[in-house]
Amino acid sequence: MTILEVQNVSKQFGGLKALQDVCFSVNEGTIFGLMGANGAGKTTLFGVIAGQIRPNGGSISFAGKPLAGQRPDQICRLGLGRTFQIVRPFGNLTVLDNVIVSAMYGAARTHRLADATQAGRRALEDVGLAPLADQLAASLTLSNQKRLEIARALATGARLVLLDEVMAGLTATEVAEMTETLFRLRRERGLTILIIEHVMGALMNLSDRILVLDHGVPIAMGSPEQVVADENVLKVYFG
Amino acid sequence: MFQQLLFAAVVSGALYALVALGLNLVYGSLRLLNIAHGDLVMIGAYVAFWSFTLLGISPVVSLATTTVLCAAFGFLVYVVLLKRQLGSPALAQRLEANSLIIFYGLSVILQNGASLAFSATSRGYQFLDGVHSFGGVSATGSMLLLLGVAAAVTLGALAFLRFHVAGWSLLAVIERKDAAAVVGVNVERVQMISICAGFAIAGVAGVLVSMTQQITPFMGFPFTIAAFVVVIMGGLGNIAAGIAAGFVLGFIETFGVALTSATYRSILIYGIFVGVLLLRPQGLFGKAVQAR
Amino acid sequence: MTGKPFMIAAFAIVAGLMALVPQLGSEYWLGVAFIVAMWIALIQSWSLLSATTGYISLGHAVFYGIGAYVLVVSLDWMPVPYALALSGAAAGLLALVVGLPVLRVKGPYFVILTFGFAELVKNLVMLLETRLGQFSRMIFDAPSLEALYYAMLVLAVIATAIAAWTAQSRFGRGLAAIRENEVAAEAIGVPVTRLKLFAFVASAIIPGIVGGLLVLRTSYFAADQAFDPAVSFTIVTTAIVGGLGRVSGPLLGTLFLVILSELLWARFPQAYMMILGGLLIVFILFVPQGLAGLIRKGLGRA
């Protein structure tokens, strides 16, 4: 069943066409990869889906509801969470408090502190941050702050999460762990994942389907095997 | 009548452009919003006033003394309050957020210090007050001197930024501090010189003000606000646009007051200030115009 | 969590002691206690917006002034309690109307905007008063100081209780998220604009009533005094000296401020302001956690 439907989305910044007629749909419970060089428009696409950036054209619907004109907080409450490539932790709050706010305000809207704490702890356990729950978020290492980004998106009670380069800077072992974690989240929470990743191996390994963007234009879409064999992709990536 | 107003607008525009130039330098290179900027204008005005009335020293000489005094004060503020904080990125980030409050404290100290030392009475003196008439405009010698000095300083700064290597490094710091450091600009030194120059320019403006208006310990704040308006309208680090914006404000103020009455002066200035900030909520650094 | 009942008990004892001050029968001490309660009410209200969200307002005198003005004008038509309620409502309404555009402005620009905005309103009210032929207004049959004091004390208690509740509530957590990172807060579902506006309005209402009470106390209104930027300045300085982000901060700051002001204000007003300016700089640079933080640290070490 389709959970996210993106149709003909376009976005221009001044004269720069960041996205042109992007179309794809994501089935519930799948992992969908976004591929492309720097500046291909991947992060812009996330911004458009999550409501931070207003598109110039096209439409997006999530779980059957159109997202046009909705604010980011409204979109989040519909069950769509996101992480930021450049991390944005609530630095002076503890790791646990970071996820508690998420649980209180996100789609779950857990008003009681005890319930929000429980939901928050579960999200921290999912990403392996439970032992650091009482530390200030600002004191975490970058890779742990990336984990916190995921935990915060999970704690909102999202059914679909947009993960923006959460593996950048991780060691090979950590990448393997993170891959395992994402598979487990899909299995246990029935989570749908839309992921941007430069770590190619991980992306191929994780994704059920992949969309390749080049300068804002979709050039290929399909299973990882189809995409790597695609002529356009080969041209862009290997010249 | 119209020519007279036009002349008055040019005079106050030149003054605003000058005051804003100092603010622009400090904000541009240090990213600190100096809300005490107008109080340095006040200090310059008092230096000129006392030098003239007590010692009989001409305000022309006071231009030099205030330059030195205010630059020294800028140096002091830099070394005592800012240097350590600007040095480490974490502290500097907090300092930027707190800079306005720090300068607010400084402003209160300067205003009340001046009021304690000189009392709150408004004061003035007569210098070059002979009236010259030309082309339907009557101007005192002090007004012409004000115009001349303001023009010389602003144009001098403009030329310095365009033609001198040190001026380029200043522009580089204003544009991208980190990148400037990478290409070998001594950022710390540029910042120190900027704050000294910014303070000195405010002092010079104060000397000019004292020749043409009454002065009080609390005269500074309207100048701060006017300077903010000019810098926001003209754009950060854009000295030329700042000068133009100074004249725009001078014209709006002079003609606005002429069309209504003097009681509207503060309302006009504060109203423009609030309006400009609301229209450009991204503030001095706004790039919204670029991303058309 | 053992600290919590202890803190509540401590606040209750302070409030109880303050309620006994009129029994001393001293006009002087009652006047001092009135001022103490006034600053606590003002600073706790200011903190609700500025300490929790990080949107530092340098213009809170505008709400205080508008409250004072509305009271002195409405007193001709209605009894004191209604006039006071109207003062608070007017301040809240002003915050509601200007809140949306003003809160779009961020960081240092917000700070200086609030200052300019307060000056604008001050000058507008001054112009209006001049147009009406009023240079100052007198109040003749104001309630007794004792009655005013109890009203002020109630405001201080309410403001402190709101601050304490906010600190551990869902609302307070949302505001903290906004302070830490507005974009991320919005992305996890915090309705940023609505929460900021709510905090802004809430932080304006009590200062409006306080302004009304102070006018009743002085029996005199002049626009330039009611909207005095020194009020905003004192609020910010006292809050920062006391310590942002703790309910006890405004209490400690006020205690410090009132002692200083009793010693200096009457005889050396300028020196007093200069010392406040100096304290502001020293605390923000070197003691950002304020007196409350210092004491906490001291206790932790002992």
Side-chain angles (χ1 to χ4, degrees):
Chain A
M1 189 202 131
T2 304
I3 187 166
L4 181 75
E5 180 88 54
V6 174
Q7 280 175 330
N8 302 93
V9 163
S10 299
K11 176 69 196 176
Q12 296 197 11
F13 294 110
L16 177 77
K17 291 177 174 163
L19 295 171
Q20 287 181 61
D21 284 324
V22 177
C23 297
F24 65 94
S25 62
V26 179
N27 285 331
E28 190 159 14
T30 61
I31 298 181
F32 191 98
L34 274 178
M35 211 173 111
N38 283 324
K42 301 174 305 256
T43 297
T44 305
L45 183 57
F46 269 20
V48 170
I49 296 171
Q52 280 95 13
I53 300 171
R54 202 156 282 236
N56 297 108
S59 66
I60 300 168
S61 64
F62 171 68
K65 294 188 193 74
L67 297 186
Q70 302 254 42
R71 292 191 314 265
D73 56 300
Q74 294 171 316
I75 292 173
C76 172
R77 286 199 292 275
L78 291 174
L80 196 157
R82 75 163 291 185
T83 70
F84 292 94
Q85 182 189 1
I86 297 160
V87 293
R88 293 173 175 273
F90 303 136
N92 293 310
L93 305 186
T94 64
V95 168
L96 182 59
D97 279 335
N98 267 263
V99 283
I100 287 178
V101 202
S102 264
M104 283 181 155
Y105 279 95
R109 254 176 292 181
T110 326
H111 284 229
R112 278 190 54 224
L113 180 60
D115 300 339
T117 310
Q118 200 182 4
R121 283 199 187 281
R122 189 177 153 215
L124 291 181
E125 270 158 29
D126 280 337
V127 298
L129 277 183
L132 301 175
D134 294 325
Q135 302 226 3
L136 286 186
S139 71
L140 297 184
T141 60
L142 183 62
S143 60
N144 279 335
Q145 286 183 348
K146 295 223 162 192
R147 287 194 175 91
L148 179 58
E149 286 280 331
I150 304 176
R152 220 166 45 184
L154 290 175
T156 61
R159 292 162 61 196
L160 166 67
V161 291
L162 316 183
L163 304 182
D164 197 345
E165 291 204 30
V166 289
M167 300 196 191
L170 300 192
T171 63
T173 335
E174 287 171 328
V175 168
E177 276 171 21
M178 183 62 81
T179 307
E180 192 40 52
T181 302
L182 295 182
F183 277 133
R184 182 162 43 80
L185 285 172
R186 171 170 68 168
R187 203 166 54 236
E188 291 175 1
R189 292 193 179 219
L191 197 66
T192 313
I193 298 173
L194 184 57
I195 184 166
I196 294 174
E197 203 48 70
H198 275 303
V199 182
M200 279 326 238
L203 193 68
M204 293 296 153
N205 191 359
L206 273 167
S207 306
D208 300 303
R209 287 170 70 76
I210 291 179
L211 170 70
V212 187
L213 288 176
D214 180 49
H215 293 99
V217 183
I219 53 170
M221 185 159 60
S223 68
E225 296 75 23
Q226 288 170 330
V227 163
V228 287
D230 188 281
E231 263 176 50
N232 291 327
V233 177
L234 290 174
K235 214 184 290 169
V236 167
Y237 271 76
F238 305 104
Chain B
M1 185 60 203
F2 178 75
Q3 290 101 311
Q4 191 64 44
L5 278 177
L6 202 62
F7 178 73
V10 169
V11 170
S12 75
L15 194 59
Y16 286 146
L18 184 65
V19 177
L21 171 65
L23 189 75
N24 216 340
L25 281 179
V26 176
Y27 187 79
S29 60
L30 288 100
R31 293 288 182 280
L32 299 184
L33 284 171
N34 182 6
I35 204 175
H37 192 69
D39 299 302
L40 297 159
V41 174
M42 181 269 293
I43 298 222
Y46 271 96
V47 169
F49 173 80
W50 290 116
S51 305
F52 188 76
T53 50
L54 288 185
L55 308 170
I57 294 174
S58 156
V60 179
V61 178
S62 295
L63 286 173
T65 35
T66 36
T67 302
V68 174
L69 261 172
C70 287
F73 184 58
F75 181 74
L76 201 72
V77 168
Y78 176 76
V79 171
V80 175
L81 294 179
L82 308 175
K83 193 173 179 198
R84 195 174 64 96
Q85 317 273 328
L86 286 164
S88 95
L91 281 176
Q93 197 184 12
R94 213 178 65 200
L95 180 76
E96 189 176 328
N98 293 338
S99 70
L100 211 145
I101 294 172
I102 291 171
F103 281 116
Y104 188 27
L106 197 63
S107 164
V108 168
I109 293 175
L110 292 176
Q111 287 176 9
N112 286 280
S115 160
L116 189 64
F118 313 134
S119 90
T121 355
S122 60
R123 299 168 188 272
Y125 59 95
Q126 246 108 68
F127 176 72
L128 291 183
D129 55 347
V131 176
H132 307 264
S133 289
F134 47 91
V137 174
S138 324
T140 60
S142 52
M143 283 179 174
L144 296 175
L145 180 61
L146 184 157
L147 263 184
V149 174
V153 175
T154 20
L155 293 177
L158 212 57
F160 171 77
L161 290 175
R162 172 139 321 162
F163 300 117
H164 199 280
V165 180
W168 301 344
S169 53
L170 176 59
L171 286 180
V173 171
I174 290 175
E175 197 61 41
R176 283 285 303 273
K177 196 172 88 177
D178 44 350
V182 171
V183 297
V185 173
N186 184 343
V187 173
E188 213 170 276
R189 231 181 75 143
V190 169
Q191 289 182 330
M192 190 194 75
I193 292 172
S194 299
I195 198 167
C196 292
F199 278 39
I201 290 171
V204 165
V207 176
L208 300 177
V209 170
S210 77
M211 300 189 306
T212 55
Q213 300 175 17
Q214 294 277 307
I215 64 173
T216 80
F218 302 99
M219 65 188 272
F221 192 65
F223 280 105
T224 305
I225 290 293
F228 271 107
V229 172
V230 169
V231 173
I232 294 167
M233 287 200 298
L236 178 86
N238 195 339
I239 309 286
I243 294 169
F247 283 108
V248 170
L249 184 64
F251 275 78
I252 296 177
E253 191 198 357
T254 310
F255 284 93
V257 168
L259 290 175
T260 55
S261 81
T263 44
Y264 285 92
R265 183 186 299 269
S266 330
I267 291 173
L268 207 59
I269 292 278
Y270 289 119
I272 293 173
F273 171 75
V274 169
V276 163
L277 260 182
L278 290 182
L279 289 177
R280 298 196 63 181
Q282 64 278 61
L284 312 185
F285 226 178
K287 293 256 161 107
V289 188
Q290 262 181 5
R292 250 174 307 251
Chain C
M1 282 287 122
T2 47
K4 209 167 166 188
F6 170 76
M7 284 306 266
I8 291 175
F11 285 131
I13 288 169
V14 171
L17 286 176
M18 284 189 72
L20 291 176
V21 171
Q23 308 306 318
L24 292 173
S26 154
E27 188 86 356
Y28 171 76
W29 284 112
L30 192 54
V32 171
F34 180 83
I35 295 299
V36 168
M38 176 183 95
W39 286 117
I40 291 175
L42 286 176
I43 295 160
Q44 295 285 23
S45 307
W46 176 88
S47 298
L48 186 61
L49 171 77
S50 297
T52 47
T53 65
Y55 278 73
I56 304 276
S57 160
L58 285 192
H60 250 52
V62 76
F63 301 123
Y64 172 94
I66 215 76
Y69 189 46
V70 165
L71 181 114
V72 80
V73 171
S74 61
L75 219 48
D76 291 344
W77 290 292
M78 57 184 79
V80 170
Y82 292 110
L84 282 172
L86 202 60
S87 293
L93 192 67
L94 178 67
L96 187 66
V97 171
V98 302
L100 275 185
V102 164
L103 289 163
R104 278 172 61 223
V105 182
K106 294 186 173 57
Y109 308 109
F110 175 82
V111 182
I112 186 164
L113 173 61
T114 54
F115 201 138
F117 174 70
E119 286 294 293
L120 177 64
V121 175
K122 173 174 111 180
N123 280 288
L124 284 172
V125 172
M126 279 164 65
L127 180 71
L128 181 64
E129 286 289 274
T130 320
R131 278 292 156 89
L132 295 172
Q134 299 272 2
F135 295 99
S136 63
R137 292 167 186 260
M138 305 287 285
I139 297 171
F140 293 106
D141 42 3
S144 70
L145 175 56
E146 192 175 330
L148 294 178
Y149 170 67
Y150 280 122
M152 192 64 94
L153 186 59
V154 167
L155 289 185
V157 169
I158 292 175
T160 306
I162 292 175
W165 173 79
T166 304
Q168 47 79 49
S169 69
R170 175 173 179 265
F171 175 56
R173 285 172 188 275
L175 295 179
I178 291 172
R179 177 189 68 219
E180 294 298 319
N181 195 311
E182 216 164 307
V183 174
E186 198 169 33
I188 58 159
V190 179
V192 169
T193 309
R194 200 192 321 154
L195 245 57
K196 284 196 297 192
L197 189 62
F198 195 73
F200 193 53
V201 172
S203 84
I205 292 174
I206 285 180
I209 307 176
V210 169
L213 282 174
L214 193 82
V215 170
L216 288 170
R217 161 89 169 107
T218 56
S219 310
Y220 175 77
F221 173 87
D224 54 337
Q225 285 175 26
F227 290 90
D228 190 351
V231 173
S232 306
F233 170 72
T234 310
I235 292 175
V236 175
T237 306
T238 313
I240 287 172
V241 168
L244 301 179
R246 284 180 217 286
V247 183
S248 59
L251 306 185
L252 292 167
T254 300
L255 191 67
F256 185 79
L257 170 90
V258 170
I259 292 171
L260 194 68
S261 131
E262 286 304 307
L263 291 176
L264 284 172
W265 171 245
R267 277 171 297 167
F268 313 105
Q270 291 103 342
Y272 169 72
M273 292 302 283
M274 288 172 78
I275 290 174
L276 283 192
L279 283 171
L280 181 60
I281 296 175
V282 167
F283 270 77
I284 206 144
L285 281 179
F286 305 109
V287 200
Q289 71 279 34
L291 290 175
L294 278 187
I295 286 176
R296 205 183 151 94
K297 214 193 246 169
L299 287 178
R301 209 171 279 163

